[in-house]
Amino acid sequence: MSLLDVTDAAQIYTTRRGLFGRPVKVRAVDGISFSVQPGRTLGVVGESGCGKSTTGRMALGLERPSEGSVTFEGAAMPVPRSAEWRDMRAKMQLVFQDPLGAMDRRLTIAQQIEEPLVIHRIGNAAERKERVAALLVDVGLRPDHAARHPHELSGGQRQRAVLARALATNPKLLVCDEPVSALDVSIQAQVVNMLTDLQVARGIAMVFISHDLKVVRQVSHEVAVMYLGRIVEQGDPEALFADPAHPYTRALVSAIPVPGPRRIPRIVLTGDPPNPADRPSGCAFHTRCPVAIARCKAEVPALRHFDDGRKIACHLADAQTKVAE
Amino acid sequence: MAEPLVRIRGLDVKFNGLPALRGIDLDIGKGEAVGLVGESGCGKSVTWLAALGLLPKKAAVSGSVTLDGAELLGAAPAVLDDVRGGRVAMIFQDPATALNPVQTVGRQVCEALTLHRGMDDAAARAETRRLFEMVGIPNPAQRIDVYPHEMSGGQNQRVMIAMALAGQPELLVADEPTTALDATIQAQILDLLRRLQAETGMALVLISHDLGVVADMCSRVCVMYAGRIVEQAPSEELFARPAHPYTQGLLGALPDMVGPRRRLSAIPGGVPEPWNLPPGCAFAPRCERADGACAVMPPFQALGRDHDAACVHLNEAVAA
């Protein structure tokens, strides 16, 4: 059984254009489905405004989808801020990009890590102290870090502390929203290795949201590529990045600057991603797609299953898989 | 090598007595594209802020920076005003904060033209339109009169580049120009910089934490660590045969895009704080080859044509 099931979920926000403008409905996430198994990682990639963070918030039950459903361990998400919802928080945790913003600057590292245990009434004072010490070791911090304040740690150490706090209640699901994007390359590798080790040791399921395709490929068991609120391609990370099928995925992969010779010729897309409040007709990508045909403008492509286990939302996907063979 | 455009010798910067740069020697040839890579705080940005006299007063700068043979350090403000934004232009990571939010983008570019090329309003406006076209801003005639918040991050960075080009620079210093941008927009901006460099023949210094970006754009790369250059080589050579243990560590810490996934070889520990620099090689505490010999400052050793690295264990490093 899946730990997390998201089915046809959509999130609709209402915004105004200007002070007196008419309210406009924006479909930030527009009907996405995926499931995450215990101990597995789903990577979610896409550019700013594609709905990847909203997806993470829906997965955690921080926002109720406007349409569709999210279930955790087979049961529907409780209403936000209810007592059941609060109890759920112990089972699922969120890790953000900016660890300093996620911490209370006046509390010591040990107090911050202990806080979720106090909130969820886990253990007595002595047990909690022991647990905090064990968590510090798990994330690779030294015992003397416990008494420090967030500003006395480096960026990498702070992200480790945030992770220790997230792990305090033994969650089954971790949603990581750009967890290593603010870190330097050498520190990033340390934290990525630690995340994968902790996942193996504890069997945690993860939703890993990032714009960095290299890191997502490294940590994920499955990858979903999002464009303007929809999943356009989903599948095994090695296959998907080695042979991207959707024209958007191909452009993304070809745009990654890599040291050494380039495998795929670079595709430079023209223009900016469209505004979600002003979604193009048909396939939302047709305005920037180098291979779009007339049908793409008129008809929304469905996310279809292919033989290699991949799902692709493109009218031209059949022709392309043939070309690939 | 012919007389370089910019020659930096023994550049030292201290903030409140703490070292930020420790003896930078660097030449930038005319029309050359050089990459500076390294992690936060390694001094890659400070090098250029110091060279152009843009650091606050509390910074103690010593050494020598010459542009076409003329000394820039300690030069008169009038001389520097002519250099900054004129012969040497700089663009930064976040275009949204570098642009003035209450002036139209066109006016900000016009200002640079009036200042550096003495144009009147009409001529500056026409030239701005030409520059906007050159950097690929759609509908340049209309976009001149919009404010920065009405444009996307990628378009704002194009405005910054247009402003940098206004002074017809001989050198463009781009400090993390695409770090704040999305992947597909990053590809557009890098393409633009490459094209402009070819068209105008200006030299380019690209400061980045992203080894991939630098490999893609530059013919020569300098790797910096804790205020020093630790290795420099032609791009292809550096990525094919990295010699310094730090360069090797950086490349090993990058996840691959092809082939089977492997555990990342993370460099242990963190960058030393400026008040806690070890004597000798600053990388020694994180380096698996470090021994007693690393307690003295390692000199540069030549490894081949234009390839040098500052490490006393280079021979073992190359063999490994």
Side-chain angles (χ1 to χ4, degrees):
Chain A
M1 190 184 76
S2 319
L3 185 72
L4 177 76
D5 276 299
V6 175
T7 316
D8 299 325
Q11 188 61 264
I12 303 167
Y13 297 123
T14 313
T15 64
R16 275 171 206 280
R17 285 266 173 94
L19 192 54
F20 303 106
R22 251 184 308 138
V24 185
K25 283 203 162 39
V26 179
R27 299 180 75 92
V29 171
D30 193 15
I32 62 168
S33 303
F34 61 83
S35 52
V36 185
Q37 313 298 325
R40 310 286 280 180
T41 299
L42 172 76
V44 181
V45 294
E47 298 177 275
S48 345
C50 73
K52 54 190 194 297
S53 293
T54 306
T55 301
R57 294 176 61 78
M58 287 199 293
L60 284 167
L62 296 175
E63 287 180 25
R64 282 172 84 78
S66 319
E67 293 165 15
S69 70
V70 178
T71 62
F72 185 77
E73 295 183 310
M77 277 300 170
V79 180
R81 321 235 163 261
S82 62
E84 301 84 51
W85 180 82
R86 267 176 235 284
D87 288 342
M88 287 284 279
R89 299 268 61 77
K91 294 185 190 167
M92 37 171 66
Q93 290 285 333
L94 179 60
V95 176
F96 293 103
Q97 173 171 358
D98 171 24
L100 197 56
M103 299 179 102
D104 188 325
R105 290 167 192 243
R106 294 161 304 174
L107 296 183
T108 65
I109 300 302
Q111 283 170 325
Q112 317 223 19
I113 299 175
E114 194 188 353
E115 205 172 21
L117 298 170
V118 177
I119 291 168
H120 292 285
R121 297 192 192 85
I122 299 170
N124 58 32
E127 285 164 3
R128 287 201 294 261
K129 198 169 173 209
E130 212 171 280
R131 178 135 182 79
V132 169
L135 283 163
L136 283 172
V137 174
D138 286 353
V139 298
L141 289 173
R142 291 193 310 267
D144 65 285
H145 286 131
R148 298 206 199 169
H149 288 87
H151 70 268
E152 296 173 289
L153 300 184
S154 68
Q157 289 168 339
R158 269 182 225 137
Q159 198 59 295
R160 286 170 192 268
V162 167
L163 221 73
R165 185 180 62 184
L167 294 171
T169 56
N170 262 327
K172 294 180 174 173
L173 173 70
L174 213 54
V175 173
C176 303
D177 194 349
E178 305 272 7
V180 295
S181 307
L183 305 176
D184 274 320
V185 179
S186 71
I187 310 297
Q188 198 174 39
Q190 293 172 5
V191 176
V192 164
N193 282 346
M194 185 185 68
L195 273 173
T196 43
D197 291 347
L198 287 169
Q199 177 172 48
V200 172
R202 294 167 173 246
I204 307 172
M206 280 199 248
V207 175
F208 193 98
I209 300 164
S210 179
H211 70 281
D212 187 334
L213 272 66
K214 286 194 283 249
V215 174
V216 166
R217 181 182 186 269
Q218 180 72 20
V219 300
S220 307
H221 300 99
E222 191 180 18
V223 173
V225 182
M226 289 185 71
Y227 189 76
L228 224 62
R230 297 209 180 117
I231 294 176
V232 296
E233 185 165 359
Q234 189 176 347
D236 169 73
E238 280 179 27
L240 190 144
F241 289 133
D243 178 26
H246 194 284
Y248 176 63
T249 320
R250 252 183 289 151
L252 268 188
V253 172
S254 81
I256 307 169
V258 283
R262 173 168 297 283
R263 242 172 46 87
I264 310 172
R266 192 209 309 274
I267 305 161
V268 177
L269 296 176
T270 49
D272 291 320
N275 184 343
D278 198 8
R279 168 184 286 279
S281 63
C283 173
F285 186 58
H286 85 259
T287 52
R288 301 172 77 199
C289 183
V291 292
I293 53 171
R295 190 180 165 199
C296 305
K297 201 170 174 177
E299 201 182 315
V300 179
L303 191 65
R304 289 176 296 154
H305 290 259
F306 284 78
D307 287 344
D308 60 352
R310 220 183 294 188
K311 292 177 211 165
I312 306 158
C314 177
H315 293 308
L316 297 162
D318 303 292
Q320 265 145 25
T321 33
K322 265 183 210 140
V323 171
E325 279 156 16
Chain B
M1 190 165 151
E3 182 63 23
L5 179 66
V6 176
R7 178 187 291 264
I8 299 177
R9 285 292 175 271
L11 185 63
D12 255 39
V13 173
K14 284 191 173 70
F15 291 107
N16 300 325
L18 296 171
L21 279 192
R22 304 181 296 150
I24 299 293
D25 294 337
L26 180 63
D27 288 343
I28 308 292
K30 292 191 171 75
E32 196 187 11
V34 179
L36 287 186
V37 290
E39 301 180 276
S40 336
C42 72
K44 52 194 192 300
S45 303
V46 170
T47 302
W48 293 96
L49 295 175
L52 296 174
L54 291 169
L55 287 174
K57 284 222 165 55
K58 68 170 182 181
V61 183
S62 60
S64 158
V65 178
T66 57
L67 176 66
D68 259 343
E71 180 64 47
L72 292 184
L73 286 192
V79 176
L80 285 175
D81 284 346
D82 189 42
V83 170
R84 294 187 292 225
R87 298 183 65 189
V88 181
M90 204 163 170
I91 57 173
F92 298 94
Q93 175 172 346
D94 189 0
T97 53
L99 288 167
N100 184 342
V102 296
Q103 276 189 1
T104 63
V105 290
R107 201 165 148 207
Q108 298 183 52
V109 179
C110 285
E111 191 186 356
L113 288 166
T114 321
L115 213 63
H116 290 290
R117 283 161 68 188
M119 291 185 175
D120 63 25
D121 283 357
R125 214 177 142 80
E127 176 67 5
T128 301
R129 199 154 55 223
R130 192 188 70 84
L131 287 169
F132 274 21
E133 228 160 79
M134 194 169 166
V135 299
I137 292 174
N139 308 323
Q142 280 104 60
R143 296 315 251 173
I144 277 188
D145 296 314
V146 306
Y147 290 89
H149 74 269
E150 297 175 88
M151 298 176 100
S152 67
Q155 298 299 341
N156 274 329
Q157 194 59 290
R158 288 177 195 267
V159 172
M160 286 304 300
I161 295 171
M163 199 185 297
L165 295 177
Q168 296 174 313
E170 290 157 70
L171 169 65
L172 176 65
V173 179
D175 189 353
E176 305 270 6
T178 59
T179 307
L181 305 175
D182 276 321
T184 58
I185 309 301
Q186 164 169 301
Q188 292 175 2
I189 296 293
L190 292 179
D191 238 42
L192 171 68
L193 286 174
R194 203 178 290 121
R195 199 193 80 216
L196 290 174
Q197 206 212 342
E199 280 173 15
T200 62
M202 66 182 175
L204 176 72
V205 168
L206 185 69
I207 300 171
S208 179
H209 70 283
D210 189 330
L211 291 155
V213 168
V214 166
D216 232 28
M217 296 284 297
C218 302
S219 53
R220 189 156 63 90
V221 178
C222 302
V223 181
M224 291 185 70
Y225 189 77
R228 295 192 83 203
I229 293 173
V230 295
E231 181 166 4
Q232 57 175 322
S235 245
E236 276 163 37
E237 164 85 5
L238 187 90
F239 293 107
R241 277 174 294 278
H244 196 283
Y246 177 62
T247 315
Q248 293 173 345
L250 273 186
L251 287 169
L254 276 182
D256 300 319
M257 261 330 265
V258 289
R261 285 175 279 177
R262 54 166 178 100
R263 189 177 170 80
L264 302 178
S265 48
I267 306 173
V271 179
E273 291 90 356
W275 55 89
N276 208 6
L277 281 179
C281 176
F283 186 62
R286 304 174 76 185
C287 180
E288 51 184 26
R289 294 195 188 96
D291 59 21
C294 303
V296 289
M297 193 66 95
F300 262 102
Q301 294 187 48
L303 284 159
R305 206 165 155 266
D306 300 329
H307 188 175
D308 311 275
C311 175
V312 292
H313 294 295
L314 274 187
N315 294 330
E316 302 131 69
V318 171

